Amino acid sequence: MESKSPKARVLIVDDEPGNITILREILKSRYTVLAATTGQNAVSLAASNPPPDLILLDIKMPKMDGYDVLKRLKTSQRTRNIKIVFVTAKRTIDDKMTAYQHGIEDYITKPIDRDFVLQIVERLTKKRSDSIV
């Protein structure tokens, strides 16, 4: 009997449910998908057991924006090693440079491209499965 490794867990964080739906549809056949519509929920889900392997995080959200979520996750012992990708409408080079300086793994601009999202998620979750072997 072939043993299948568990699917990587991807947490989608966006205050717009429609954006979550789009990403969930792209990822659901290959990954276990979790979702949060607030920064606070994202921080709680990230600290769950098992934690997500990757977080797709919107920047512009009310109350706790993506940078606030990123800061909370990177300063916590429990969540600091989770890979984070911003998924945002912010497109300038300054936006991207600021995001990379804060420690994100990658940057996806909206409207999203299905193949681009899959390539980034595969690359970042593959590192996880390679390190398990």
Side-chain angles (χ1 to χ4, degrees), residues 27-96:
L27 300 172
K28 71 181 183 182
S29 67
R30 299 181 191 184
Y31 305 95
T32 298
V33 179
L34 311 167
T37 56
T38 68
Q40 189 60 46
N41 285 350
V43 171
S44 295
L45 282 170
S48 66
N49 191 12
D53 299 294
L54 177 67
I55 298 174
L56 301 179
L57 178 61
D58 186 24
I59 295 176
K60 292 178 72 173
M61 296 186 296
K63 296 184 183 171
M64 184 186 289
D65 71 11
Y67 284 104
D68 293 333
V69 173
L70 178 66
K71 183 178 180 183
R72 295 265 303 269
L73 295 175
K74 291 300 181 184
T75 57
S76 167
Q77 178 79 22
R78 186 170 178 88
T79 58
R80 70 176 171 203
N81 293 321
I82 299 172
K83 294 175 176 65
I84 299 173
V85 174
F86 276 158
V87 181
T88 182
K90 296 169 77 73
R91 307 176 78 81
T92 71
I93 194 67
D94 287 341
D95 294 327
K96 293 175 185 178

Side-chain angles (χ1 to χ4, degrees), residues 103-118:
I104 62 156
E105 298 290 327
D106 217 324
Y107 196 99
I108 299 170
T109 55
K110 297 174 186 174
I112 61 166
D113 177 85
R114 178 186 185 280
D115 293 334
F116 187 67
V117 168
L118 285 171

